[in-house]
């Protein structure tokens, strides 16, 4: 039986009557807020189904005037010209946008829409769509939101274009790139001040099943979330190399071919579930980062990273699957200069489970000639021969609870037969594939290889001796007490994340020390997280679940559950070094 909770939900106290489910209830609540002349603004994240709003909400409100704010958007060719530098010709990588949403709007068309509002007769005036608040601030402001993972599902199904483009037939990698590098950046900037003053948030995640909560209740719920442990909603995705372990352990769809990834703590793309009375609201967990960065991250982390969650926990399942792509991540200066990111994708592999004979590919073998390896990779890429990995790359046996550190510039991949908890910095798409074992993607297309990028960032000094000395199982005892011991397991000094493993059969007291903590229960069925001072309700975590302790929590305690068998449990904890 699987105990892994796939839909963790936080119950928000004190706002039971502040949320509504279904179009009828939502319409009635908004109608109650209208007067003789009311401008209702429904601003939207790109991906919200505007047709559903029109059919179920706007028609029921019977407004005197309706304006779709997208009428003022630049046309597709003008947008493409504006964004050409950011979109690039590459399938995967673009340059991060620093645009404001107003740059995507035709100034004269915006003036025309504003004049329509000014000249409208008394009654209800509704302005809706992405950018609606640019037309009018709203006497009543609703923000319609949905998580990025749901946006991706709508893109994959062919339902959704990129914003301002008719490109459903375009390669999914290119559409995701446009969303990642441009749309989501621009609209996060736009929605942050709106969420701080919105009268209502409209959850449009599920088709024909909307939910709405007052802005005051939402903001109180986010504040409450920063005072206790919580989990974001994990999501799972198949891949060409994916395995079967998660399918069995997490009770996933048995008809799926495999599951390669689980994004268990990637707040940019995960959801956060908040329950207000009987109504469950699903929002992007990024909304918490945008509105409560200091309480969540801590002063020092916020000062360094801004409103970005810098730690990522995810799973890579190759048990019953195949090797990951052989890859390298960019050095800091390279990611800054080429893509506009201000920090890079340092990472590590913590081995949750491993089959006999499993291995991790890490660093080059001592004596490797860089040009010889690059020539061999290019030859492999042309299909002339397989890459001679045994000649050039260290293949290191992997077993349960091993920890492999992977600072940027280190060639690496997990081999078949491993269940990896990947602990890393958050820029999670910056993987330069060097070789993909001659495979096609699940879409039947060749998977993109970026050897031209990769060759510029490989650190050739990370050879056999260096890797074993610095990157493999760097376990250092730190402290111990009755029923527990603490070990440092990394990460490398070039990485900003610190990790500690605690083995325990008795309660262990932790402290955030003013910075966000991210943990996973890597051994044992379940544990209880509570507050020694009673500041929050006890929180149950189960095997392999990732959970977040906001900086503002301060002291917390992790104890074995009464249902455990008496064997030691273990957590792995990560935080940003000071």
């Amino acid at each position: 039986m699987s105990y892994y909770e796939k839909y963790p939900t936080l119950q928000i106290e004190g706002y039971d009557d502040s949320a509504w489910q279904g179009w009828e209830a939502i319409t009635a609540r908004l109608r109650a807020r209208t007067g003789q002349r009311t401008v209702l603004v429904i601003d939207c994240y790109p991906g919200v189904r505007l047709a559903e709003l029109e059919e179920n909400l706007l028609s029921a409100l019977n407004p005197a005037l309706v304006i779709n704010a997208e009428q003022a958007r630049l046309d597709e060719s003008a947008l493409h010209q504006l964004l050409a530098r950011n979109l690039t010709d590459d399938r995967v990588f673009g340059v991060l946008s620093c645009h404001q949403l107003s740059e995507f709007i035709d100034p004269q068309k915006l003036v025309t829409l504003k004049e329509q509002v000014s000249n409208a007769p008394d009654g209800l005036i509704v302005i809706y769509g992405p950018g609606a608040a640019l037309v009018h601030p709203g006497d009543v402001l609703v923000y319609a939101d949905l998580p990025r993972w749901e946006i991706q599902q709508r893109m994959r199904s062919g339902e959704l274009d990129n914003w301002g483009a008719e490109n459903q037939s375009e390669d999914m990698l290119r559409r995701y790139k446009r969303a990642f590098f441009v749309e989501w950046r621009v609209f996060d900037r736009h929605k942050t001040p709106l969420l701080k003053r919105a009268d209502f948030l409209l959850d449009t995640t599920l088709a024909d099943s909307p939910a709405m909560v007052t802005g005051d209740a939402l903001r109180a719920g986010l504040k409450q979330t920063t005072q206790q442990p919580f989990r974001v909603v994990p999501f799972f995705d198949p891949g060409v190399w994916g395995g079967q372990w998660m399918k069995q352990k997490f009770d996933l769809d048995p008809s799926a071919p495999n599951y390669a990834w689980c994004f268990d703590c990637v707040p940019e793309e995960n959801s956060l579930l908040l329950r207000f009375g009987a109504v469950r609201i699903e929002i992007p967990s990024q909304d918490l980062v945008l509105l409560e960065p200091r309480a969540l991250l801590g002063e020092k982390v916020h000062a360094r990273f801004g409103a970005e969650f810098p730690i990522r926990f995810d799973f890579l399942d190759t048990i019953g699957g195949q090797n990951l792509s052989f890859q390298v991540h960019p050095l800091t200066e390279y990611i800054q200069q080429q893509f506009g990111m201000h920090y890079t994708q340092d990472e590590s592999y913590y081995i949750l489970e491993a089959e006999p004979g499993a291995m991790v590919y890490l660093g080059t073998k001592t004596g490797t000639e860089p040009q010889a390896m690059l020539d061999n990779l290019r030859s492999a890429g042309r299909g002339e021969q397989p890459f001679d990995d045994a000649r050039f790359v260290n293949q290191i046996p992997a077993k349960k609870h091993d920890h492999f550190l992977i600072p940027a510039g280190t060639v690496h991949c997990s081999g078949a037969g491993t269940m990896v908890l990947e602990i890393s910095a958050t820029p999670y798409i910056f993987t330069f594939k060097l070789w993909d074992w001659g495979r096609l993607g699940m879409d039947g297309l060749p998977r993109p290889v970026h050897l031209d990028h990769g060759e510029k960032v490989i650190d050739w000094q990370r050879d056999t001796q260096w890797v074993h000395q610095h990157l493999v199982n760097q376990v250092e005892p730190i402290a111990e007490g009755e029923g527990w011991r603490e070990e440092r397991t990394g990460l490398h000094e070039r990485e900003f994340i610190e990790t500690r493993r605690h083995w325990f059969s008795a309660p262990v007291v932790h402290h955030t020390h003013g910075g966000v903590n991210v943990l996973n229960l890597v051994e044992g069925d379940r544990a209880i997280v509570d507050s020694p001072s009673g500041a929050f309700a006890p929180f149950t975590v189960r095997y392999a679940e990732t959970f977040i302790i906001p900086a503002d929590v301060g002291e917390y305690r992790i104890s074995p559950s009464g249902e455990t068998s008496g064997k030691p449990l273990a957590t792995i904890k990560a935080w940003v070094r000071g």
Side-chain angles (χ1 to χ4, degrees):
M1 177 183 293
S2 170
Y3 296 102
Y4 182 90
E5 176 56 66
K6 296 189 286 292
Y7 301 99
T9 304
L10 284 81
Q11 186 73 41
I12 304 304
E13 303 298 332
Y15 292 88
D16 288 0
D17 299 325
S18 298
W20 301 268
Q21 185 80 47
W23 287 120
E24 185 176 350
I26 290 168
T27 301
R29 180 59 188 147
L30 292 178
R31 189 180 288 121
R33 288 292 301 269
T34 64
Q36 183 176 1
R37 177 183 171 86
T38 303
V39 179
L40 170 62
V41 169
I42 308 174
D43 209 316
C44 303
Y45 209 73
V48 170
R49 294 183 173 104
L50 299 187
E52 189 176 331
L53 287 181
E54 294 162 353
E55 180 179 349
N56 296 283
L57 180 59
L58 303 192
S59 61
L61 288 171
N62 192 27
L65 175 65
V66 177
I67 295 175
N68 183 339
E70 291 192 313
Q71 297 175 62
R73 184 180 60 204
L74 295 175
D75 63 32
E76 183 171 1
S77 62
L79 277 177
H80 186 78
Q81 184 176 358
L82 177 65
L83 299 176
R85 172 70 182 96
N86 299 91
L87 297 180
T88 74
D89 293 327
D90 192 277
R91 285 180 69 195
V92 176
F93 301 119
V95 177
L96 277 187
S97 167
C98 293
H99 295 92
Q100 298 296 322
L101 182 56
S102 58
E103 297 177 65
F104 298 172
I105 304 299
D106 184 306
Q108 188 53 54
K109 290 180 180 179
L110 183 61
V111 168
T112 299
L113 295 184
K114 289 181 176 181
E115 289 175 348
Q116 290 181 32
V117 176
S118 298
N119 298 329
D122 286 350
L124 176 61
I125 301 163
V126 176
I127 310 166
Y128 73 103
L134 297 177
V135 180
H136 191 283
D139 300 319
V140 177
L141 173 61
V142 178
Y143 194 82
D145 214 348
L146 78 168
R148 293 180 183 177
W149 179 237
E150 173 61 22
I151 293 172
Q152 291 176 61
Q153 299 313 298
R154 295 180 189 185
M155 284 183 170
R156 290 180 183 182
S157 70
E159 172 189 350
L160 183 64
D161 298 307
N162 284 107
W163 191 69
E166 295 184 5
N167 64 346
Q168 290 182 19
S169 61
E170 191 173 27
D171 177 5
M172 182 59 198
L173 290 177
R174 293 183 183 276
R175 286 186 286 154
Y176 179 86
K177 176 188 69 173
R178 181 166 178 152
F180 179 90
F181 285 94
V182 179
E183 292 167 10
W184 296 338
R185 310 298 162 176
V186 170
F187 277 93
D188 279 359
R189 293 186 196 106
H190 176 68
K191 80 172 177 178
T192 300
L194 300 183
L195 289 176
K196 291 178 179 178
R197 67 177 183 88
D199 297 287
F200 301 96
L201 178 131
L202 180 63
D203 167 13
T204 68
T205 307
L206 299 178
D208 300 314
S209 184
M212 189 174 77
V213 63
T214 67
D216 287 342
L218 171 72
R219 290 182 286 270
L222 294 178
K223 173 58 73 174
Q224 181 178 317
T225 303
T226 66
Q227 308 303 308
Q228 63 187 73
F230 70 95
R231 293 184 62 225
V232 295
V233 181
F235 62 86
F236 304 85
D237 214 17
V240 66
W241 43 263
Q244 304 298 316
W245 189 90
M246 289 192 295
K247 186 190 296 189
Q248 299 166 6
K249 291 289 186 179
F250 298 162
D251 191 26
L252 304 179
D253 181 2
S255 67
N258 64 62
Y259 286 97
W261 291 276
C262 168
F263 291 83
D264 202 32
C265 178
V266 187
E268 276 200 14
E269 298 209 12
N270 289 111
S271 300
L272 184 65
L273 294 177
L274 305 177
R275 185 173 295 281
F276 301 85
V279 178
R280 190 181 78 175
I281 300 291
E282 182 170 3
I283 61 172
S285 50
Q286 179 71 356
D287 289 356
L288 176 66
V289 183
L290 295 174
L291 266 63
E292 293 289 346
R294 283 184 164 86
L296 174 65
L297 303 176
E299 290 292 336
K300 290 182 179 179
V301 178
H302 178 246
R304 182 172 177 181
F305 294 97
E308 291 188 19
F309 198 92
I311 302 172
R312 178 186 80 173
F313 276 38
D314 64 280
F315 296 129
L316 309 171
D317 182 359
T318 68
I319 292 181
Q322 305 173 28
N323 295 347
L324 272 65
S325 59
F326 181 55
Q327 59 194 243
V328 67
H329 299 302
L331 302 172
T332 302
E333 60 268 28
Y334 196 85
I335 203 170
Q336 289 173 340
Q337 294 165 8
Q338 297 293 320
F339 310 113
M341 296 291 294
H342 61 280
Y343 61 105
T344 193
Q345 189 170 324
D346 292 310
E347 64 185 31
S348 69
Y349 289 165
Y350 190 93
I351 308 300
L352 273 184
E353 299 285 352
E355 294 183 313
M359 64 181 64
V360 166
Y361 297 73
L362 189 62
T364 56
K365 285 192 172 180
T366 299
T368 291
E369 290 291 334
Q371 195 58 53
M373 179 170 141
L374 293 172
D375 288 345
N376 194 265
L377 284 166
R378 284 196 172 85
S379 177
R382 293 191 296 266
E384 297 170 358
Q385 60 180 350
F387 173 57
D388 193 353
D389 54 285
R391 173 185 171 191
F392 296 110
V393 186
N394 301 307
Q395 299 177 19
I396 304 173
K399 63 183 186 302
K400 185 178 176 68
H401 294 304
D402 283 346
H403 200 178
F404 300 91
L405 316 181
I406 312 172
T410 310
V411 296
H412 66 281
C413 73
S414 173
T418 59
M419 181 61 198
V420 172
L421 169 61
E422 187 175 48
I423 302 172
S424 72
T426 307
Y428 51 92
I429 73 165
F430 292 95
T431 296
F432 299 151
K433 294 186 182 72
L434 306 174
W435 166 242
D436 199 39
W437 315 100
R439 299 178 295 212
L440 296 177
M442 296 190 73
D443 56 6
L445 299 174
R447 301 185 80 210
V449 171
H450 286 92
L451 186 55
D452 288 345
H453 282 305
E455 68 177 344
K456 296 181 177 68
V457 300
I458 295 172
D459 189 332
W460 298 98
Q461 298 181 46
R462 294 177 186 170
D463 60 10
T464 306
Q465 181 179 355
W466 194 93
V467 163
H468 281 278
Q469 185 175 351
H470 296 280
L471 303 184
V472 179
N473 287 329
Q474 301 298 298
V475 178
E476 174 188 351
I478 296 295
E480 62 181 305
E482 186 174 351
W484 64 270
R485 72 180 189 273
E486 177 182 2
E487 302 166 335
R488 181 180 184 274
T489 69
L491 275 49
H492 185 261
E493 63 182 2
R494 288 187 61 90
E495 305 181 76
F496 63 75
I497 295 173
E498 179 77 6
T499 58
R500 299 285 174 86
R501 180 171 56 204
H502 287 80
W503 295 95
F504 60 102
S505 55
V508 183
V509 175
H510 299 249
H511 203 290
T512 65
H513 298 292
V516 66
N517 291 185
V518 182
L519 301 93
N520 188 283
L521 185 65
V522 296
E523 187 69 46
D525 289 338
R526 64 181 67 199
I528 303 297
V529 186
D530 70 353
S531 166
S533 64
F536 56 82
F539 180 83
T540 299
V541 295
R542 301 160 185 83
Y543 175 63
E545 290 183 350
T546 298
F547 57 104
I548 299 169
I549 309 291
D552 269 10
V553 166
E555 189 176 58
Y556 60 100
R557 178 172 52 203
I558 305 180
S559 307
S561 166
E563 302 173 25
T564 57
S565 63
K567 296 180 180 179
L569 288 73
T571 56
I572 189 79
K573 176 171 68 173
W575 72 91
V576 175
R577 294 187 182 120

